[in-house]
Amino acid sequence: MTMPPDADPSGSDDALLRLYAQGDATAARRLSARLLPRVYAHATRLLGDAMEAEDVAQEAMLRLWRTAPEWRPGEAKVTTWLYRVTANLCIDRLRKRRGVGLDEIAEPADPQPGVAQQMQDRSRHEALQAALATLPERQRQAVVLRHIEGLSNPEIAQVMEISPRAVESLTARGKRALTALLAGRRADLGYDDEKAG
């Protein structure tokens, strides 16, 4: 029963969601195994808090299951819909906790080998998360979807419900702002040795 998710024609997200809507528990497990880690990672990057991200990921998946009976294939990709729901849930949470300082938000543990590497990776992650937190919400969402999640501009446009041109503008401005914010931290984040020469 270790069949890869796309080994048969019913392996697409749309097909699995339709099967789930018809009561197929195996389809639900396969779709959850495929999508839940991505949703959780996306929420973690937007929120900077693993426990909150877990709650958001579960809520996003619950909404997907509730939507399954009315799902219309071809209108949007399941992943695009799910990223949009996840982002909206994250934005709601961020708005509710505006008064909380960034230092009070717990960072997820980084399971990299070696203590020195773990410390450096954590510093880099915290620096990026802190820099991302300074961006306006729409810029942060566009940058995360494009440069961290790897979505294309048209996919991001669907998630954010804006034009691809607006996505390009948001990601360009966000990337410039992040570069400016992190430029003075290259040495203390350990990048000076890597780029020497």
Side-chain angles (χ1 to χ4, degrees):
M1 186 107 151
T2 57
M3 186 187 324
D6 298 321
D8 66 350
S10 66
S12 76
D13 294 344
D14 276 341
L16 289 173
L17 194 56
R18 278 194 308 273
L19 289 170
Y20 165 75
Q22 297 166 5
D24 187 333
T26 302
R29 283 192 297 276
R30 289 176 67 196
L31 199 54
S32 291
R34 180 183 300 170
L35 299 177
L36 190 57
R38 293 168 68 181
V39 170
Y40 171 74
H42 183 57
T44 301
R45 288 183 184 109
L46 290 177
L47 294 170
D49 183 299
M51 289 182 65
E52 269 195 287
E54 200 171 302
D55 291 343
V56 164
Q58 289 175 5
E59 176 62 26
M61 292 302 291
L62 279 173
R63 290 186 184 192
L64 179 64
W65 301 139
R66 286 187 209 122
T67 301
E70 291 90 33
W71 186 259
R72 292 189 298 269
E75 281 191 16
K77 287 173 58 176
V78 173
T79 51
T80 301
W81 184 90
L82 205 49
Y83 275 127
R84 182 183 305 145
V85 169
T86 302
N88 288 339
L89 289 168
C90 288
I91 288 168
D92 289 346
R93 284 179 179 253
L94 288 169
R95 287 180 179 155
K96 285 179 187 172
R97 71 173 190 201
R98 285 247 181 197
V100 177
L102 192 59
D103 292 336
E104 298 170 31
I105 300 170
E107 291 293 330
D110 187 0
Q112 295 293 326
V115 175
Q117 185 64 47
Q118 282 184 19
M119 289 173 60
Q120 187 171 63
D121 288 349
R122 187 165 310 158
S123 292
R124 289 174 178 177
H125 175 78
E126 288 171 357
L128 177 60
Q129 196 63 44
L132 282 169
T134 66
L135 296 179
E137 287 174 9
R138 303 289 278 174
Q139 277 184 25
R140 177 175 50 239
Q141 185 180 0
V143 167
V144 167
L145 287 169
R146 179 74 183 108
H147 296 290
I148 297 176
E149 300 296 337
L151 269 63
S152 69
N153 285 351
E155 289 174 315
I156 297 168
Q158 283 188 321
V159 170
M160 296 181 69
E161 298 178 321
I162 57 176
S163 71
R165 205 164 170 81
V167 170
E168 288 174 22
S169 175
L170 285 170
T171 54
R173 285 183 304 188
K175 192 174 173 185
R176 276 195 305 273
L178 287 176
T179 300
L181 285 165
L182 297 172
R185 303 222 29 219
R186 290 186 63 77
D188 63 303
L189 293 175
Y191 286 111
D192 56 343
D193 295 336
E194 294 174 11
K195 296 277 184 174

